[in-house]
Amino acid sequence: MSERTNDIEPLSVGARLERWLYLGLLALVIALPLVMTPYLSADTFDIAKLVALRLISLGLVGIWAFRVAIKKERRVRWSKLDALLLLFIMLVTVSTIFSLQPSLSILGKYRRFEGLLTFINYAAIYFLALQSFASFERIKVLGRLLSLVGGVVSIYGLAQFTGFDPISWPGQQFELWRSFSTFGNPDMLGGFLALAFPTALASYLDAEGAKDSTLYGIAFTLITACLLTSYTRGAWLGAVAGILVFALLVGRFVLLSPRKLAVIAAVFVITFGSIAFYSGTRAHNTNLLERISSTSQISEGSAGSRLEIWKAALRATEERPLLGFGPDTFNLLSQRYETVRYVKIVQGNSTADNAHNYFLQLAATVGIPAAICFIVFICAALFFARNSIRYYDANTKRVYAGLIAAAAGYIVYLAFGLSIIGSTPLLWLIIGAILSQAYFVHTNKVKAVPAIIAASATTLTFLIAAYLAVTMYAADVHFNRAMTLENSGNPDQAIASFDTAMRLYKNGLYFDLYGRYLQDIGLAKHDTSLLVKAKDIAETAADLEPNDSDHWIYLANAYATLTQGPGTGYFDSAEEALNKALAIRPYSPLAQLLLANAYEAEGRYDDVLRLLEFVRDVNPTSKEAYLLTAEAYKNLGNKELAVTYYKKYQSLNPRDTKVGQIIQGLQAIQRAPK
């Protein structure tokens, strides 16, 4: 009796590791867009995606390092473009060293996280994709998977558009019922959909058989609809650019599926018409047609504010053209260089933490040379990938064209939007995948010792990065718990959670909100020890991030609660802190308003009026500004102007009956015979 042999030989260890590497890259495509942790972490979206990115990347790097260690013959795929990428990472590293705040530039800003570690992560994903996507079938799977994930994300976004959202989201900062799905912001959702849109189109055109055609047709329809309901104009431009690139790359081959083209046209017309009609009814409050027409209004609304942000980015770039202010420091530099018009548009309520133009963002934060390296690398990669597909047949060409168009569309979106860790790593993955088949990519043997050293160093770097990400996430869970416990009537538990969060992650926002909480309960309980602790927390925040004006404002407020009036130590410290805030952000209305309060206590009424003129101009609805102005004029003996500003205050706050009595008293004095 003869022995039976298996028809399929088992994979070698090296082949298994290589397959796991490929599957891990696909896991990124699934996890990054979908993962979020509502009710658990304070930052529901980005910090959860950061953890997913770091842990999966650690696994990928570990698999690659182990493969390098066990293989007798070590081969690495590389392209001549890699030198540009390496130079880019080196420049970002130097920029981090000379950053306005190096610790921030390493980790990235809270809720953004695009610091040095993330840029290294991008480069690693590109490198591993270049090694792994060595066949057309794998590239095809990448495009199809991205399409399906885009469809899943879109289902939730469309549910939000129609008002059916199982999750209650507090503090929404944008128009009601705009789709934001698993990204937490319509702009960020739009960026991801601009990336998925061309791949969904290509997957539908490439699909064979009714089952696949239906599946990818539905995904394309969902993505198209959700892209519209995100109301993100930059993403719309990115999607249009993606379609144009796809059409140019595929050319006449797109005409091989006339029925599918007719279906696509019908889907768009029906989807657009339905959304336009529904959004214009009373059941909805965000009109699609009005949003489209506003695209041409570049000097008004959000478009106008972004023009002012771009001006700040250009001014910052002029100040530090070579190395910038450091990765992810845009919030700090925008405070220095924001325009008066921008402050008026937002009424001083916020500062820009992103340029809304990735190229300006890079130039201002990591310098012009690094920005040029990035732009040239991406453009060259797309150009060479485009040259490579000319030799493929129609089906293969459509798949490649879809991915190239996806990358091109996302780059166009980045000229008007934000780079986030839920989408941008997928851009680098796509670039690595489409270049893996390019004619100028080479495979070379590498020596054992340098390869093992490089693999070990990379693994250690990603181990540290993953540990930091998990620690930051744990801190955010404690911070969320502390915020939840604020109104529970048990401050001891809230304080314990705040303390744990700050111990795990030195995040300035944690310190600010913790200090404010201590101050509130200290005032409520008349507990001076809590007020002193709030002051200590605010001092720590200012020491930790001295280039953020908000910390100095919080510190000044903490000093003010402890002061006994002019001439005391805390009063002088509060005034000094406000002057530091204004040195960082000269156009801060809140700092000027608080400083006006201090000057009013000192009897410096002319200085009060000087500061409040700007505050009223920036925020015409500031009740406190009008009240302080009226009191300053009253103290200066100008009863007529005092009455004028008291009345303006009264129109904003009619419930304040005391002001009515003051007005009557001043008018009586004016009418009295002299």
Side-chain angles (χ1 to χ4, degrees):
M1 188 173 176
S2 61
E3 279 187 24
R4 292 185 59 186
T5 58
N6 293 327
D7 294 329
I8 301 175
E9 294 183 4
L11 294 174
S12 65
V13 175
R16 288 180 183 177
L17 291 173
E18 195 275 335
R19 181 170 177 77
W20 291 347
L21 183 64
Y22 160 68
L23 294 175
L25 289 167
L26 294 183
L28 280 176
V29 179
I30 299 171
L32 293 185
L34 294 177
V35 68
M36 61 176 183
T37 52
Y39 307 120
L40 187 58
S41 56
D43 175 11
T44 297
F45 304 97
D46 294 290
I47 201 166
K49 296 181 190 298
L50 175 72
V51 172
L53 174 65
R54 294 286 195 262
L55 291 178
I56 294 175
S57 297
L58 174 62
L60 292 171
V61 169
I63 291 170
W64 172 72
F66 185 61
R67 187 164 173 259
V68 166
I70 66 170
K71 289 200 72 173
K72 294 181 180 180
E73 191 176 83
R74 298 165 182 85
R75 294 181 179 272
V76 173
R77 294 167 62 82
W78 63 279
S79 78
K80 293 180 180 179
L81 295 179
D82 296 352
L84 274 173
L85 180 56
L86 181 60
L87 178 59
F88 173 72
I89 295 299
M90 291 173 61
L91 289 170
V92 172
T93 303
V94 176
S95 176
T96 301
I97 294 171
F98 294 96
S99 169
L100 203 61
Q101 188 177 320
S103 60
L104 175 66
S105 290
I106 292 172
L107 297 176
K109 184 183 180 296
Y110 180 63
R111 291 197 170 106
R112 288 290 178 265
F113 306 113
E114 197 169 59
L116 173 63
L117 291 176
T118 296
F119 283 113
I120 293 173
N121 212 149
Y122 294 161
I125 289 171
Y126 159 79
F127 173 79
L128 295 174
L130 194 66
Q131 312 307 308
S132 184
F133 286 88
S135 70
F136 167 69
E137 286 303 319
R138 289 188 172 185
I139 291 175
K140 184 175 181 178
V141 170
L142 172 63
R144 291 193 166 190
L145 181 61
L146 184 58
S147 306
L148 295 176
V149 172
V152 173
V153 168
S154 297
I155 291 172
Y156 183 34
L158 291 171
Q160 292 168 335
F161 174 72
T162 58
F164 296 103
D165 192 335
I167 301 174
S168 176
W169 299 106
Q172 189 166 298
Q173 301 297 316
F174 38 84
E175 298 91 338
L176 186 65
W177 291 347
R178 279 181 70 183
S179 299
F180 58 86
S181 191
T182 55
F183 286 82
N185 184 292
D187 287 348
M188 299 173 185
L189 169 64
F192 168 71
L193 295 178
L195 191 70
F197 183 68
T199 64
L201 174 63
S203 297
Y204 173 62
L205 292 174
D206 182 61
E208 297 179 357
K211 183 179 178 180
D212 280 356
S213 294
T214 301
L215 179 63
Y216 295 106
I218 291 173
F220 175 73
T221 303
L222 291 170
I223 291 171
T224 301
C226 196
L227 190 59
L228 290 171
T229 61
S230 73
Y231 291 87
T232 304
R233 291 165 293 194
W236 292 346
L237 292 174
V240 170
I243 291 299
L244 291 176
V245 170
F246 180 78
L248 289 172
L249 291 175
V250 175
R252 60 185 176 84
F253 290 108
V254 75
L255 300 177
L256 296 178
S257 306
R259 289 184 179 180
K260 288 188 175 181
L261 290 177
V263 170
I264 290 169
V267 163
F268 180 78
V269 170
I270 293 171
T271 302
F272 182 88
S274 300
I275 294 173
F277 174 78
Y278 177 65
S279 67
T281 65
R282 291 184 177 181
H284 212 275
N285 69 341
T286 309
N287 191 291
L288 177 62
L289 296 179
E290 290 178 358
R291 185 71 172 180
I292 293 173
S293 65
S294 70
T295 303
S296 60
Q297 300 170 0
I298 60 174
S299 61
E300 300 177 11
S302 61
S305 68
R306 289 182 185 183
L307 284 174
E308 299 305 314
I309 295 171
W310 293 352
K311 290 178 184 178
L314 289 171
R315 291 173 61 189
T317 303
E318 290 176 2
E319 183 72 22
R320 289 193 183 184
L322 294 180
L323 295 176
F325 286 80
D328 227 1
T329 57
F330 195 85
N331 179 57
L332 302 181
L333 66 89
S334 70
Q335 295 179 39
R336 297 181 174 205
Y337 299 105
E338 66 184 356
T339 64
V340 175
R341 186 168 185 271
Y342 173 77
V343 178
K344 287 182 179 181
I345 290 173
V346 300
Q347 295 189 338
N349 293 326
S350 64
T351 55
D353 66 354
N354 197 287
H356 289 274
N357 179 309
Y358 196 48
F359 313 115
L360 288 178
Q361 173 95 3
L362 289 175
T365 56
V366 296
I368 294 175
I372 291 174
C373 284
F374 170 81
I375 294 169
V376 173
F377 173 81
I378 294 294
C379 291
L382 296 179
F383 175 79
F384 286 118
R386 169 252 181 196
N387 284 346
S388 298
I389 70 170
R390 66 177 64 179
Y391 305 107
Y392 298 141
D393 59 26
N395 290 337
T396 309
K397 182 172 287 191
R398 279 197 295 255
V399 172
Y400 274 101
L403 287 169
I404 295 171
Y410 190 70
I411 290 298
V412 171
Y413 158 77
L414 286 179
F416 305 94
L418 297 80
S419 171
I420 60 166
I421 57 174
S423 302
T424 301
L426 304 183
L427 168 69
W428 290 86
L429 196 162
I430 289 172
I431 295 296
I434 60 179
L435 280 186
S436 65
Q437 299 296 304
Y439 65 89
F440 66 94
V441 171
H442 306 283
T443 302
N444 291 112
K445 293 181 181 179
V446 292
K447 294 181 179 180
V449 173
I452 292 173
I453 292 175
S456 301
T458 305
T459 304
L460 179 61
T461 300
F462 276 82
L463 183 62
I464 294 171
Y467 170 78
L468 291 172
V470 171
T471 302
M472 290 157 63
Y473 182 79
D476 209 51
V477 170
H478 283 285
F479 179 66
N480 182 63
R481 184 171 182 268
M483 299 289 286
T484 304
L485 289 169
E486 277 191 351
N487 299 317
S488 67
N490 191 340
D492 292 340
Q493 291 184 2
I495 289 172
S497 293
F498 271 121
D499 287 336
T500 302
M502 294 192 306
R503 185 177 68 253
L504 294 173
Y505 179 18
K506 305 299 182 185
N507 178 0
L509 178 65
Y510 291 180
F511 284 85
D512 286 344
L513 297 185
Y514 183 26
R516 188 179 68 181
Y517 173 63
L518 290 173
Q519 188 172 308
D520 288 344
I521 60 175
L523 289 171
K525 294 184 174 184
H526 305 287
D527 189 336
T528 304
S529 66
L530 289 174
L531 298 179
V532 171
K533 186 174 181 179
K535 181 264 299 180
D536 294 340
I537 293 294
E539 287 178 338
T540 303
D543 290 339
L544 181 70
E545 298 178 350
N547 294 295
D548 191 330
S549 64
D550 286 345
H551 298 326
W552 294 106
I553 292 173
Y554 275 105
L555 178 57
N557 197 37
Y559 284 141
T561 60
L562 291 168
T563 186
Q564 301 299 314
T568 63
Y570 283 133
F571 186 93
D572 295 340
S573 296
E575 191 173 323
E576 182 183 353
L578 289 171
N579 282 316
K580 287 183 178 179
L582 288 170
I584 296 168
R585 189 186 178 200
Y587 300 135
S588 169
L590 180 56
Q592 296 198 33
L593 182 62
L594 293 174
L595 190 58
N597 272 287
Y599 287 164
E600 195 272 340
E602 293 178 305
R604 297 169 57 177
Y605 302 120
D606 289 332
D607 289 328
V608 170
L609 294 174
R610 172 179 57 81
L611 291 172
L612 293 179
E613 183 179 3
F614 175 80
V615 176
R616 296 193 310 272
D617 184 41
V618 169
N619 185 5
T621 62
S622 174
K623 294 180 288 186
E624 189 173 359
Y626 284 109
L627 181 61
L628 277 175
T629 302
E631 291 176 349
Y633 277 121
K634 185 180 75 170
N635 288 319
L636 287 171
N638 192 331
K639 299 177 181 60
E640 182 178 353
L641 283 177
V643 168
T644 299
Y645 282 99
Y646 273 128
K647 286 183 176 180
K648 289 182 178 181
Y649 166 77
Q650 192 177 41
S651 67
L652 295 170
N653 190 17
R655 294 182 178 181
D656 191 339
T657 57
K658 292 182 179 179
V659 170
Q661 297 172 2
I662 294 173
I663 293 172
Q664 290 176 1
L666 290 172
Q667 289 175 333
I669 294 173
Q670 286 179 297
R671 290 193 298 267
K674 298 181 181 179

